[in-house]
């Protein structure tokens, strides 16, 4: 696929995700972590306009100077911006205006992509596409949160999901004690936090070949796992108590039966489906109850070729920290990952919402320990 085709395909996929939405759905922001869909549409477009078109396309005219204030996310080097918690108050610009903005920027990008590109510019455009793919995954989960917290629990789409096959009996992959190379070594795209490749020493360990299922997690609930402090980190126990947490996000008891909200509406809990929408606190507590633990990100990467992954982002026991020799590049691109390397946990793999080809075994996702609106799951280790 050419870079021009990659750009067009990426931009079209974003709009396909939003196609089933009603205009009112585009504006809602139930909590700070969730951004309105129309903000995602505008922000990903602003990224291409601000970091690529304005500095690299001769004669380019900015669509609207106010959009830099509206759609800047966290780039301190690019000026002031709307506070994240206020994105849901942006009734203007309208959804229609944002789609016009996307067309305007796409037409300019097509002109740029027809010109000879320097390696530096090609790299930046590829980064922009990967950035938009990240927002596609956020769109899925933000839309699910918006609709899943509407009192009517409306479906995003009416089609029925296929049933999950019964998973094989639990088994573990053995990790031999020794040295392992960690980090990206290919010649394709990766984020700066996957560099630099380095060697780590791992003790002998085992990592589960399957993700924890809803059936297994339900056992934890039924034995009173959310009421037994001994399974929880102190901070996690405080979180459970202060927020009255009793089950994973979207789980509801209806007439004594567990159901969960899906993009197809409220459905009976599929017991053989991998558990999703759990926080690090819940993942760690479940592992402790089972007598296991969560894998480190290095164990996960070392063994990742031995098991299937990609249905859930998998919590690890590793803090999100820089690899040896990590350096931020100057300018706004340097703000992309490095400044978030504090008070967060690494997740590995991908999820059912991850765009095709977007993840790899070295990919390092990261979230705060209480976060669970993403498609997060559990893989055990010992």
């Amino acid at each position: 696929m050419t870079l021009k085709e990659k750009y067009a395909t990426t931009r079209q996929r974003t709009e396909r995700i939003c196609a089933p939405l009603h205009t009112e759905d585009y504006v809602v922001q139930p909590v700070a972590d969730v951004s309105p869909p129309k903000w995602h549409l505008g922000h990903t477009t602003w990224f291409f306009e601000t970091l690529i078109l304005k500095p690299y396309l001769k004669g380019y005219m900015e669509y609207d100077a106010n959009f830099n204030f509206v759609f800047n996310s966290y780039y301190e080097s690019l000026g002031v911006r709307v506070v994240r918690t206020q994105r849901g108050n942006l009734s203007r610009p309208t959804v229609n205006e944002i789609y016009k903005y996307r067309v305007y920027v796409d037409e300019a990008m097509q002109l740029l992509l027809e010109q000879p590109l320097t390696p530096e510019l090609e790299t930046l455009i590829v980064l922009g596409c990967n950035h938009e793919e990240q927002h596609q995954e956020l769109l899925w989960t933000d839309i699910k949160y918006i609709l899943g917290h509407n009192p009517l629990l409306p479906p995003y789409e009416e089609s029925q999901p296929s049933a999950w096959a019964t998973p094989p009996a639990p088994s573990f992959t053995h990790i031999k004690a020794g040295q392992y190379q960690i980090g990206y070594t290919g010649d394709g795209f990766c984020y700066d936090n996957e560099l630099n490749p380095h060697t780590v020493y791992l003790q002998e360990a085992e990592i589960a070949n399957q993700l924890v299922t809803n059936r297994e997690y339900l056992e934890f609930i039924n034995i009173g796992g959310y009421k037994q402090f001994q399974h929880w980190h102190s901070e996690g126990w405080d979180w459970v108590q202060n927020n009255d947490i009793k089950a994973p996000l979207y789980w509801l008891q209806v007439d004594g039966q567990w159901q969960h909200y899906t993009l197809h509406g409220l459905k009976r809990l599929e017991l053989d489906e991998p558990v999703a929408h759990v926080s690090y606190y819940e993942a760690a507590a479940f592992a402790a109850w089972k007598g296991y633990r969560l894998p480190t990100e290095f164990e996960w990467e070392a063994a990742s070729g031995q098991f299937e992954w990609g249905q859930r982002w998998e919590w690890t026991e590793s803090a999100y920290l820089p690899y040896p020799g990590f350096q931020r590049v100057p300018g706004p691109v340097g703000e992309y990952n490095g400044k978030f390397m504090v008070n967060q946990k690494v997740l590995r793999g991908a999820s059912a919402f991850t765009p095709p080809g977007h993840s790899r075994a070295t990919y390092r996702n990261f979230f705060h320990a209480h976060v669970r609106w993403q498609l997060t799951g559990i893989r055990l280790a010992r």
Side-chain angles (χ1 to χ4, degrees):
M1 182 184 295
T2 66
L3 186 54
K4 187 175 182 179
E5 292 170 335
K6 170 69 174 176
Y7 176 84
T9 299
T10 301
R11 300 285 285 170
Q12 291 162 8
R13 185 187 298 118
T14 302
E15 296 184 13
R16 284 200 303 273
I17 294 170
C18 293
L21 299 179
H22 296 279
T23 303
E24 292 80 2
D25 299 326
Y26 281 88
V27 188
V28 182
Q29 184 181 26
V31 292
D33 285 331
V34 170
S35 293
K38 78 171 193 176
W39 186 88
H40 287 290
L41 290 170
H43 169 71
T44 51
T45 305
W46 167 88
F47 187 98
F48 285 107
E49 179 180 62
T50 304
L51 274 70
I52 296 172
L53 290 173
K54 288 165 72 173
Y56 291 102
L57 182 61
K58 186 177 180 179
Y60 178 77
M61 299 294 293
E62 188 177 39
Y63 183 84
D64 187 328
N66 289 321
F67 282 16
N68 192 62
F69 173 67
V70 171
F71 294 125
N72 184 359
S73 54
Y74 54 72
Y75 296 91
E76 299 285 351
S77 58
L78 294 176
V80 294
R81 61 202 178 279
V82 171
V83 177
R84 182 177 184 175
T85 55
Q86 297 300 311
R87 292 172 185 170
N89 291 333
L90 292 168
S91 59
R92 307 290 176 92
T94 64
V95 173
N96 185 54
E97 186 66 22
I98 291 171
Y99 273 110
K100 290 180 180 179
Y101 178 40
R102 288 180 69 86
V103 170
Y104 181 86
V105 167
D106 286 347
E107 289 176 349
M109 282 294 300
Q110 291 303 320
L111 289 176
L112 180 65
L113 287 163
E114 290 171 359
Q115 301 176 11
L117 305 177
T118 65
E120 175 191 15
L121 182 52
E122 285 190 8
T123 299
L124 195 55
I125 294 172
V126 170
L127 174 63
C129 291
N130 278 269
H131 167 260
E132 182 141 349
E133 287 176 338
Q134 287 183 314
H135 279 270
Q136 288 165 4
E137 186 158 5
L138 289 169
L139 264 171
W140 284 117
T141 49
D142 288 3
I143 289 168
K144 184 175 183 179
Y145 196 97
I146 289 166
L147 299 180
H149 285 77
N150 182 312
L152 299 179
L153 298 175
Y156 164 80
E157 55 187 355
E158 297 289 351
S159 61
Q160 292 292 327
S162 56
W164 286 82
T166 301
S171 62
F172 284 78
T173 287
H174 181 249
I175 302 172
K176 294 181 179 180
Q179 294 184 334
Y180 293 85
Q181 186 176 58
I182 299 299
Y184 187 76
T185 58
D187 56 4
F189 174 82
C190 76
Y191 288 108
D192 57 0
N193 64 0
E194 299 171 58
L195 303 171
N196 298 310
H198 60 287
T199 301
V200 301
Y201 181 85
L202 298 179
Q203 299 287 348
E204 185 176 17
E206 291 185 316
I207 186 169
N209 290 320
Q210 296 86 28
L211 294 171
V212 170
T213 64
N214 288 332
R215 186 189 305 275
E216 295 172 289
Y217 200 87
L218 190 56
E219 294 176 15
F220 176 64
I221 295 175
N222 288 339
I223 60 91
Y226 281 89
K227 300 176 182 178
Q228 299 170 350
F229 70 88
Q230 60 266 34
H231 309 307
W232 298 81
H233 289 101
S234 176
E235 192 174 283
W237 183 242
D238 289 344
W239 173 78
V240 166
Q241 298 287 297
N242 293 336
N243 296 281
D244 194 28
I245 305 296
K246 299 177 180 178
L249 185 64
Y250 301 120
W251 284 34
L252 299 169
Q253 276 196 305
V254 180
D255 297 328
Q257 299 295 318
W258 282 106
Q259 299 191 28
H260 65 151
Y261 178 78
T262 74
L263 289 176
H264 309 280
L266 191 63
K267 302 293 181 183
R268 175 180 57 84
L269 187 67
E270 181 67 59
L271 295 179
D272 292 325
E273 182 178 352
V275 69
H277 299 295
V278 290
S279 67
Y280 164 79
Y281 296 139
E282 291 165 294
F286 176 87
W289 169 69
K290 292 286 285 187
Y292 296 104
R293 61 177 175 83
L294 301 179
T296 68
E297 66 165 319
F298 304 134
E299 289 171 334
W300 192 98
E301 186 173 327
S304 60
Q306 306 301 312
F307 54 78
E308 293 185 3
W309 52 269
Q311 286 298 318
R312 302 288 184 265
W313 283 108
E314 304 175 25
W315 288 106
T316 75
E317 199 54 78
S318 298
Y320 180 47
L321 298 171
Y323 284 168
F326 174 84
Q327 291 185 332
R328 296 191 205 178
V329 298
V333 173
E335 296 188 56
Y336 204 78
N337 284 313
K339 71 181 188 179
F340 299 111
M341 291 174 173
V342 61
N343 296 333
Q344 304 207 61
K345 287 289 190 178
V346 173
L347 299 95
R348 288 304 194 102
S351 84
F353 291 156
T354 305
H358 180 69
S359 195
R360 54 205 155 266
T362 58
Y363 195 112
R364 305 175 75 204
N365 204 348
F366 51 93
F367 287 112
H368 292 288
H370 69 280
V371 164
R372 58 186 194 156
W373 99 106
Q374 287 299 304
L375 219 57
T376 48
I378 308 170
R379 188 182 299 275
L380 300 175
R382 60 188 181 189

